[in-house]
Amino acid sequence: MGVIGKRVAYYPGCSLEGASRAYDVSTRIVAKELGLELDYLEDYNCCGAMESKNVTFMGTMLLNARNMSLARRQGHEVIVAPCNGCSFSLQRAEYFLETDRSVYEKVNALLREGGVDPLDKIPHTYHILEWFYHEAGPQKVKEKTKRPLRGLKVANYYGCLYTRPHFYARTYAHAGGQDEEARPRKRDTADDDEHPYYMNALLEAAGATNVEFEPMHTQCCGGPHSLSDEMVSEKFVMMILQTAKRNGADIIATECPLCHASLEMYRHRLMMKGVPDVDVPAAYFTQLLGLAFGYSANDVKLKDNLSDPLPVLKRLGLA
């Protein structure tokens, strides 16, 4: 534990200051309770998510490099992001900036042209879940738990981007040449590629019971397909919800705003169609930890959740 740093640049991304404000509020609560400090990244821009990388490689690099530059200006070498898409985009840019000298130089030239400080050092990005697990961990969660999530059966949903990319290379390429050390290697702090467990471990430490959820725990939620092929997204969500329900889950814990929105939106649509075994509500894992730490349902903004997990939580005396 304690290998990333307890004070980091906090990149909330677009969603957490809009439709997913409950994730932002509960994330700040959990960080405070665990003795960790989030330094809000001032004047950040969109990471480009999944869309921009299919249109412009250099544009995507520049979007993320600007955010990295802002983090360096605030004195940070570490960025944490609560969104799978944001952490993916930042880590992807980190990889190319560290392993391809031409990309690094071109991006820095564009940053200068735009009046932004060039990158003197490339910050490392971690998902907020990865940060919580390594800088606090299950033991700290257990110590802070005042109202155990006893009786709550949780299906932990990680989504498809959380476990990738897990590789990075330090800035050896900047000295010139592609030497042996510039080859990508797995981050020491990364969750398991095929069987992620960090969320399971933290919620179990808070008193919840994890239900078997493989292989749906990393199944795509269909979020990127929502506008282009709704039926694909709906099918993906149906599979996820039905697996959770049939395995006995009371609730699905999420750690990505797009995944969360997709599950809630298509859950409602599926229920309206009379599809069986899809009536499982969703909550951010930080909302559940906030409850365990003694905060109220209003404090963690549970009323913002379209799938309304309050009836389940009230039945168990947790809200």
Side-chain angles (χ1 to χ4, degrees):
M1 299 297 172
V3 296
I4 297 174
K6 295 190 180 298
R7 184 175 185 272
V8 298
Y10 175 48
Y11 177 75
C14 308
S15 295
L16 269 74
E17 296 195 321
S20 303
R21 65 175 185 146
Y23 195 11
D24 176 57
V25 169
S26 56
T27 289
R28 292 172 185 269
I29 284 173
V30 171
K32 179 181 177 182
E33 287 296 316
L34 295 178
L36 306 175
E37 186 178 350
L38 293 165
D39 185 18
Y40 179 81
L41 194 61
E42 299 289 347
D43 194 34
Y44 73 85
N45 54 262
C46 176
C47 70
M50 297 297 95
E51 290 75 22
S52 68
K53 72 180 181 64
N54 296 323
V55 179
T56 166
F57 171 80
M58 194 55 68
T60 304
M61 293 297 107
L62 187 59
L63 284 171
N64 288 283
R66 182 179 180 277
N67 289 323
M68 293 176 184
S69 176
L70 297 177
R72 292 295 297 135
R73 183 191 298 176
Q74 292 178 209
H76 295 287
E77 295 183 9
V78 170
I79 300 171
V80 297
C83 171
N84 287 352
C86 294
S87 59
F88 174 90
S89 294
L90 283 159
Q91 289 168 0
R92 179 174 177 267
E94 176 187 330
Y95 169 76
F96 283 107
L97 288 167
E98 289 197 329
T99 58
D100 192 323
R101 184 180 176 83
S102 64
V103 171
Y104 173 75
E105 292 179 346
K106 178 70 179 293
V107 164
N108 265 347
L110 290 170
L111 288 174
R112 289 190 192 93
E113 187 178 328
V116 180
D117 295 336
L119 289 167
D120 61 334
K121 190 172 186 178
I122 301 167
H124 287 313
T125 297
Y126 301 86
H127 193 282
I128 199 90
L129 173 57
E130 189 177 355
W131 185 53
F132 284 155
Y133 183 85
H134 283 281
E135 288 300 327
Q139 184 58 40
K140 186 71 171 180
V141 167
K142 193 171 184 178
E143 292 170 5
K144 284 291 182 176
T145 295
K146 299 174 182 176
R147 181 172 54 202
L149 304 175
R150 196 169 291 116
L152 184 65
K153 296 178 181 178
V154 181
N156 293 283
Y157 179 66
Y158 294 88
C160 62
L161 285 179
Y162 169 71
T163 57
R164 53 186 175 177
H166 269 174
F167 296 90
Y168 77 98
R170 281 288 189 180
T171 49
Y172 298 104
H174 298 174
Q178 300 290 329
D179 73 11
E180 193 72 16
E181 294 295 330
R183 292 180 180 177
R185 61 187 185 279
K186 187 169 182 176
R187 293 199 317 275
D188 295 335
T189 57
D191 207 336
D192 189 276
D193 291 346
E194 296 184 7
H195 311 286
Y197 62 89
Y198 288 177
M199 186 158 49
N200 297 54
L202 296 183
L203 290 177
E204 184 176 314
T209 300
N210 297 313
V211 304
E212 178 60 44
F213 200 36
E214 294 193 21
M216 288 297 111
H217 64 321
T218 56
Q219 164 69 42
C220 176
C221 69
H225 301 278
S226 294
L227 298 178
S228 60
D229 196 337
E230 292 184 2
M231 293 309 297
V232 169
S233 299
E234 186 176 296
K235 177 71 172 179
F236 284 170
V237 171
M238 182 187 76
M239 293 165 61
I240 293 164
L241 294 175
Q242 287 184 334
T243 300
K245 179 73 173 182
R246 291 167 183 174
N247 287 4
D250 298 311
I251 200 166
I252 294 179
T254 60
E255 40 79 284
C256 172
L258 179 58
C259 294
H260 186 94
S262 186
L263 291 179
E264 291 201 310
M265 179 176 69
Y266 286 106
R267 171 186 181 271
H268 176 73
R269 186 176 298 186
L270 289 163
M271 289 177 66
M272 292 293 289
K273 291 182 176 181
V275 176
D277 298 334
V278 294
D279 56 330
V280 188
Y284 293 110
F285 82 101
T286 47
Q287 291 179 301
L288 297 178
L289 289 178
L291 289 178
F293 293 166
Y295 287 82
S296 71
N298 286 335
D299 290 335
V300 298
K301 303 292 183 186
L302 275 167
K303 288 186 178 179
D304 283 13
N305 297 36
L306 299 178
S307 57
D308 192 11
L310 281 171
V312 168
L313 295 168
K314 286 180 177 178
R315 174 170 56 83
L316 295 169
L318 300 174

